[in-house]
Amino acid sequence: MKQTRIEDLLPLSPLQEGLLFHAQYSEDALDVYTVQLAVRIQGPVDAPAVRRASATLMRRHAGLRAGFRRRKTGEPMQVILRDIELPLTELDFSDVSEEEQRAKVREFAAGDRKRSFDMERPPLLRVTMIKVAADAFWLVLTSHHILLDGWSAPLVMQELFQHYRAGGEDTTLPPVTPYRTYLAWLARQDKAAARRAWQEALAGVDSPTLVVPDASPGAEVLPEDLVAEVPADLTARLGELARSAGVTLNTLVQSAWGVLIGRLTGRTDVVFGATVSGRPADIPGVESMVGLFINTLPVRVRVDHGAPWTELLTAVQRQQAALLDHHHLPLSAVQESTPVTGELFDTLVVFENYPLDSDGITERTDGPRITDITGQDATHYSLTLFPTPGPTLRLRLGYRPDLYPAERARALLDGFCRMLERIEADPSLPVGRTEVLAPELLRTVLDHWNEPDAGAPETSVPELFEAAVAADPAAVALVADGAEMSYG
């Protein structure tokens, strides 16, 4: 009997369902969820070894052989194929200067990100090997986000590199826990309890929080990035503040973001999105599993401008802790607990606390080694803040230039940094007294936009009213509930 090419049929994780919807919604349009990770390798330029390593990688991880389609009922499923080759493209930039090489590598990477995947035709990832010297090359891994999250992509690249170092297969690697184990765990969760928890958390939310209310969900161009580095001393003090307040640094960042978005939108009840790791600790080996575990869920920040920052931080932390066991629910199911149609929010916070040690990866070792690492990802949201903790807190702001001008995005990121400074300087300060405008912009608002006294009369309001009565007692002074009252 001929063996079928199909190895398995699996359901989708919550975020996989959302990403499949976006891919099918946009069809031939730009898919911003094509992501990249690239490493520069000092070592033999051995394409056959990379091909063998790629084949080993695909055999080890069934999830990398997945295609996504819908049954006749409309239910999505992922189809795992048995034998599938990881496409490898070879390029040679070794005949130009190092500066030109970097430019050509960047140009290639940008173009490769614009090449979309057919969700029904796996594999939804490809590798490019770019020779830059007789003993050095770049490996560029381009994939659809539906396969890998930010935790998994470095694991895949590390495995690919280890297999390459071993000539094609590293037999010392431990067996992997398959992604289907996580999907089975998802199926066992109490969805009814999760719905009740989210319904309580979002009670009273009756409208979305949108910084660009009329935006279309499809991006016309790839989002762009701005980066700010929080100085090491301030980063350390922010960490100390978070610990003393009994909250995480993530909570501190989310609280500040909620206040900033509230000021942009004129709201005191703010909702934005945040990614959660989604890796349950009760699955053995979950930290080394490969797949899409993260989920996007709402964060609600109710801003009391008269309360101190410490109170706001505690409230946000308390809410997030209450929802920890309910991160498995899809965003669409969470939103059903509100009367909001369409998107509930258009800004996102992605706290990038991954177990990726860039210094460790690039440390000097015998034989081939990684000397540089870089990556690129994006979302369809108008604004996405990517905080990365470390000795200096790195803040990357992704913005859609078709919706949000670069100068406004820069002002927003600078304002967010000032807000962190103000919170650390005095966490007992009322939230409403935290100034985020740059000094020159504040002068513009207070001075240039306010005309000087234009000679207003010194007459009091009662005297003006008496004059109106004397001038025309029959003139209408008040309209209420359809009734009119004259000055007389």
Side-chain angles (χ1 to χ4, degrees), residues 167-349:
E169 181 176 6
D170 186 349
T171 57
T172 66
L173 290 177
V176 296
T177 305
Y179 187 58
R180 65 172 300 135
T181 303
Y182 166 68
L183 297 175
W185 176 89
L186 275 177
R188 297 193 299 268
Q189 301 313 297
D190 189 340
K191 294 180 176 58
R195 288 176 186 273
R196 290 192 297 271
W198 281 106
Q199 189 171 19
E200 180 179 346
L202 298 177
V205 174
D206 56 6
S207 59
T209 302
L210 304 174
V211 297
V212 186
D214 301 323
S216 61
E220 299 177 2
V221 295
L222 284 173
E224 297 181 4
D225 288 337
L226 295 169
V227 175
E229 295 276 354
V230 177
D233 56 342
L234 177 56
T235 297
R237 294 197 303 272
L238 286 169
E240 292 171 4
L241 167 61
R243 287 189 293 273
S244 65
V247 304
T248 64
L249 183 61
N250 188 14
T251 292
L252 196 157
V253 168
Q254 288 183 348
S255 301
W257 183 255
V259 172
L260 188 61
I261 295 302
R263 294 191 181 183
L264 282 178
T265 57
R267 297 175 62 93
T268 55
D269 195 351
V270 178
V271 179
F272 57 88
T275 58
V276 294
S277 71
R279 291 180 180 253
D282 52 344
I283 296 181
V286 71
E287 68 282 350
S288 59
M289 289 175 66
V290 165
L292 186 73
F293 296 83
I294 62 171
N295 197 12
T296 297
L297 293 167
V299 175
R300 185 181 189 182
V301 178
R302 282 178 275 199
V303 183
D304 179 353
H305 289 293
W309 275 101
T310 48
E311 186 175 310
L312 177 64
L313 296 176
T314 303
V316 174
Q317 179 78 25
R318 186 185 307 115
Q319 181 196 63
Q320 294 300 294
L323 294 168
L324 278 175
D325 293 335
H326 310 294
H327 285 175
H328 55 84
L329 204 63
L331 178 59
S332 57
V334 171
Q335 191 166 327
E336 288 174 1
S337 63
T338 75
V340 178
T341 58
E343 288 201 312
L344 183 60
F345 47 81
D346 67 350
T347 71
L348 185 69
V349 175

Side-chain angles (χ1 to χ4, degrees), residues 151-170:
W151 185 306
S152 298
L155 295 177
V156 168
M157 182 62 87
Q158 285 175 299
E159 272 200 24
L160 184 61
F161 175 64
Q162 286 176 263
H163 292 319
Y164 155 77
R165 278 176 58 97
E169 181 176 6
D170 186 349

Side-chain angles (χ1 to χ4, degrees), residues 340-389:
V340 178
T341 58
E343 288 201 312
L344 183 60
F345 47 81
D346 67 350
T347 71
L348 185 69
V349 175
V350 183
F351 199 78
E352 296 187 306
N353 194 15
Y354 307 138
L356 173 61
D357 180 7
S358 297
D359 294 334
I361 289 176
T362 58
E363 68 180 353
R364 300 191 70 87
T365 59
D366 294 332
R369 63 188 181 90
I370 293 174
T371 59
D372 198 359
I373 183 168
T374 182
Q376 188 63 52
D377 61 355
T379 77
H380 73 282
Y381 294 100
S382 302
L383 297 168
T384 304
L385 182 69
F386 298 89
T388 303

Side-chain angles (χ1 to χ4, degrees), residues 85-105:
E85 183 180 350
L86 177 58
L88 174 64
T89 302
E90 296 179 57
L91 299 174
D92 190 342
F93 296 162
S94 61
D95 59 344
V96 298
S97 68
E98 185 173 340
E99 184 177 346
E100 289 177 288
Q101 286 175 0
R102 288 193 170 272
K104 293 188 74 169
V105 169

Side-chain angles (χ1 to χ4, degrees), residues 443-454:
R443 284 193 297 270
T444 298
V445 173
L446 296 179
D447 299 334
H448 301 164
W449 289 357
N450 284 286
E451 293 292 334
D453 183 0

